[in-house]
Amino acid sequence: MKKILIICAAGMSSSVMAQKTTDYFKSKNIEIVVDATTATEGNKAIETSDFDLFIISPQTKMYFKQFAEAGKRVGKPVVEIPFPAYIPIPMGIEKMAKLILDNMPD
């Protein structure tokens, strides 16, 4: 099972996106779980966790460079989420799922 972590400002909107995206993957029989954390925990999460991919919310894009550097140090991909993939409606969830699948390491 692959694990994805959304890094967000406060973790509220990302928690909703994480749950809806996980449910979407379940409905497609794809073994991917999405979780969320705050930007203040971002570097620690990247450097110490067992997630496969880290995705950065639009609200925290100003920290993308530091998160990408942390990802590089541990060999894990870090990707920005575009606004259209961060809307908790079916179209947004599908775009989030595609972003994840397109960036999932082998």
Side-chain angles (χ1 to χ4, degrees):
M1 175 162 307
K2 297 288 187 173
K3 292 172 56 180
I4 313 307
L5 185 66
I6 300 172
I7 299 174
C8 179
M12 297 297 286
S13 59
S14 59
S15 294
V16 171
M17 291 301 296
Q19 185 59 55
K20 288 182 175 274
T21 307
T22 297
D23 292 344
Y24 174 86
F25 284 131
K26 278 185 189 174
S27 76
K28 303 288 185 192
N29 293 317
I30 299 172
E31 292 190 12
I32 296 176
V33 174
V34 184
D35 203 350
T37 193
T38 64
T40 56
E41 296 292 320
N43 280 331
K44 181 180 174 189
I46 292 169
E47 293 177 353
T48 63
S49 69
D50 62 346
F51 287 91
D52 301 291
L53 172 67
F54 299 90
I55 53 179
I56 311 305
S57 75
Q59 304 95 307
T60 54
K61 68 180 181 179
M62 69 284 260
Y63 303 117
F64 177 75
K65 185 176 178 183
Q66 80 180 46
F67 293 145
E69 288 171 3
K72 201 175 279 187
R73 285 193 295 274
V74 296
K76 302 274 179 106
V78 177
V79 177
E80 286 184 85
I81 304 169
F83 277 110
Y86 205 70
I87 304 168
I89 61 172
M91 182 178 66
I93 300 303
E94 288 175 12
K95 288 179 187 218
M96 175 73 86
K98 182 175 181 347
L99 174 78
I100 290 169
L101 292 171
D102 288 349
N103 290 282
M104 182 66 64
D106 293 329

